[in-house]
Structure formats: C-alpha cells, structure tokens
C-alpha cells in the first residue's frame, strides 16, 4: 500500500494562469514553485534580462510570503536563461535577494522558454513549517 503525502496549493495574488498549474505547492515541509517574469496582468515585463530577473525574484518573494516564509527558506534554485551572457546580470540581481548561506543552485542555458519573450525562469524548492 502506497501512502501519499498531502499537497496543498499556496494562494497568491499572482496572475491566474490558464495552464493547469499552481504557482506553488507544499508537501511534507517543502514548497515547490516555478517563477517567471510576468506582471499582475500576466504580461512578460519589458526591459531585458535585468527587469525580468527582478520581476521573477519579486514574484518568488511574494509567493514565499504567501506561504509565511522568507527568502532565507529557499534551499535550491534552478536558473534557466536563454543566453549565457545573461548569467552575469542574473547573478548580480540574485545577490540582492539572497544572503549567505546561499541556496544550492544550478544554472542552465536553454534554447527557449514557454513564452518566446521570456529570458529567465526559476524553479525553486524551499523549506516550510
């Protein structure tokens, strides 16, 4: 007999996606989320990689606050960018949002993301009470 953990959606004020997804799910003390650079209208923000990174991290911070935790609860981050040259900017902005000890991290350079205009996406795992 297999036991299933209880998963719970975190309610946020992020744009309600038309895709079959939740912005964040918790289960067994871990929050799972993927964040993209969209505004409250669901539009990808203009302004290039810096603006998109900042919006993505702001969306992450909001999501964590909705789960009653802060950025210090983040355990691991997987960064997806569409150009290797973007990593320098992502690192600079990322350092404004996190303090040591930093989350474990991986960075991947990929051909594209779900929306053509997106330059960055974060997949994040965080500890929750």
């Amino acid at each position: 007999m297999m036991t299933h953990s209880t998963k719970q959606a975190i309610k946020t004020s992020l744009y309600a996606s038309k895709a079959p997804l939740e912005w964040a799910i918790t289960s067994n003390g871990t929050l799972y989320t993927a964040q993209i650079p969209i505004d409250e209208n669901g539009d990808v923000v203009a302004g290039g990689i810096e603006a998109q990174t900042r919006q993505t991290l702001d969306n992450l911070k909001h999501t964590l606050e909705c789960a009653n935790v802060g950025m210090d609860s983040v355990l691991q981050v997987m960064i997806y960018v569409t150009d290797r040259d973007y990593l320098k900017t992502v690192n600079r902005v990322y350092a404004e949002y996190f303090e040591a000890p930093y989350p474990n991290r991986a960075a991947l350079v990929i051909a594209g993301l779900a929306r053509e205009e997106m330059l960055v996406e974060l997949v994040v795992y965080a500890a929750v009470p």
Side-chain angles (χ1 to χ4, degrees):
M1 184 175 164
M2 198 171 164
T3 59
H4 294 285
S5 62
T6 304
K7 69 179 183 180
Q8 178 180 346
I10 299 298
K11 298 298 175 203
T12 71
S13 65
L14 297 176
Y15 178 77
S17 177
K18 293 174 182 70
L21 63 82
E22 298 291 344
W23 284 116
I25 290 285
T26 60
S27 181
N28 295 331
T30 304
L31 178 141
Y32 303 84
T33 188
Q35 296 293 327
I36 60 177
I38 59 170
D39 63 18
E40 63 277 356
N41 300 314
D43 298 321
V44 174
V45 297
I49 189 60
E50 180 167 355
Q52 287 197 17
T53 302
R54 202 168 295 286
Q55 182 68 53
T56 302
L57 286 161
D58 286 345
N59 291 348
L60 172 61
K61 187 175 180 184
H62 167 75
T63 298
L64 293 169
E65 288 169 353
C66 290
N68 297 312
V69 295
M71 296 293 275
D72 61 340
S73 69
V74 173
L75 304 170
Q76 186 174 50
V77 178
M78 295 180 64
I79 300 169
Y80 295 87
V81 292
T82 58
D83 188 315
R84 186 174 318 279
D85 292 338
Y86 294 158
L87 289 172
K88 182 178 180 183
T89 301
V90 171
N91 280 333
R92 183 175 44 77
V93 176
Y94 183 97
E96 296 174 24
Y97 287 78
F98 291 100
E99 297 177 353
Y102 297 103
N104 174 264
R105 208 177 92 168
L108 296 91
V109 180
I110 60 172
L113 292 160
R115 295 193 193 178
E116 187 177 354
E117 64 273 27
M118 285 181 11
L119 307 174
V120 62
E121 182 167 357
L122 302 179
V123 174
V124 177
Y125 308 96
V128 292

